[in-house]
Amino acid sequence: MRGAIVTGAGAGIGQAVALALAARGWRVTVCDVDGAAAARVAAEAGGDAVAAAADVTNEVALDDVMTRAAAVGPLGAVVHCAALFPRIDLAATGIADFDRVMAVNLRAAVQISLRATQAMPGGGALVFLTSGSGLMAAAADPFQRGFALYGASKAALDRWVAGVAPELAEAGIFASTITPGAFVETPGLARTGVTPPPGAATITAERVADAVVRLVEDRSGGFVGQRLSAAAFGEGWA
């Protein structure tokens, strides 16, 4: 049985991914800054799932989670779902907001990538949740006002993964990013006060999780460095 770490797994897409992987027989480490939420999801996942209360912006804590997960048995995947997406206008933005968002959305992803070859000597998969907010085309959308920091972090994430994926693939570690491709109604989105515009496409967290599992279990290397859409899973790619 191979192990998987899912960050931000206490709710939303991360929770759905953790449960989907556990259902497929993966030994899941449910990682979340909210320890109670992580414990609840691990209990729901059952089997060998374990909870890990950790702040992914803390380098020591993140390293400890990866080390402990790999010590139990082969670690085959890390799925980085943890993210901050505050809606904040430029006039209210401070550099501390930039540091906070980038620390979770980008810096933690970089740390995971840097540790991957040691944590997964037998190869595996890295999947990073990205967003349509990171696309340049999205910047002109009035709905995206206030999401400049979030969008910038996801644009940087896409570029990072595309750049390092070929090198990771040489070690048998297949890295890619995936966007929901539509609005996902999660508790995190609800906390921002954001509601999808009338007629906007939506997708369930469970559907996104299905696409993530496909990437985690792929051993062809065909998705290395790609930016994929969960909404197109089963149609544009599979």
Side-chain angles (χ1 to χ4, degrees), residues 44-232:
E44 183 178 352
D48 295 310
V50 296
D55 181 349
V56 296
T57 69
N58 184 310
E59 183 175 343
V60 174
L62 183 58
D63 191 40
D64 182 58
V65 169
M66 295 185 72
T67 299
R68 283 190 287 119
V72 175
L75 179 62
V78 181
V79 183
H80 184 47
C81 298
L84 294 179
F85 40 98
R87 194 171 201 177
I88 180 170
D89 288 338
L90 177 63
T93 301
I95 199 63
D97 297 303
F98 172 87
D99 290 340
R100 186 167 55 93
V101 171
M102 289 296 177
V104 176
N105 299 2
L106 179 62
R107 190 176 187 274
V110 172
Q111 296 282 21
I112 289 168
S113 303
L114 295 177
R115 285 162 172 69
T117 52
Q118 290 183 325
M120 295 189 285
L126 299 179
V127 182
F128 301 93
L129 266 290
T130 187
S131 169
S133 291
L135 301 176
M136 286 299 296
D141 184 349
F143 181 81
Q144 291 289 335
R145 180 178 175 129
F147 286 118
L149 275 183
Y150 175 64
S153 71
K154 293 301 185 177
L157 174 63
D158 287 330
R159 177 62 182 86
W160 166 259
V161 175
V164 301
E167 295 181 63
L168 287 167
E170 293 173 0
I173 299 170
F174 304 145
S176 57
T177 62
I178 186 166
T179 176
F183 283 94
V184 189
E185 296 184 9
T186 64
L189 184 66
R191 282 194 295 271
T192 69
V194 173
T195 55
T202 60
I203 188 172
T204 65
E206 289 72 23
R207 179 61 177 166
V208 177
D210 288 341
V212 170
V213 170
R214 174 68 177 86
L215 292 176
V216 165
E217 297 188 338
D218 179 71
R219 290 297 175 266
S220 71
F223 303 117
V224 166
Q226 291 192 35
R227 183 185 190 280
L228 299 161
S229 169

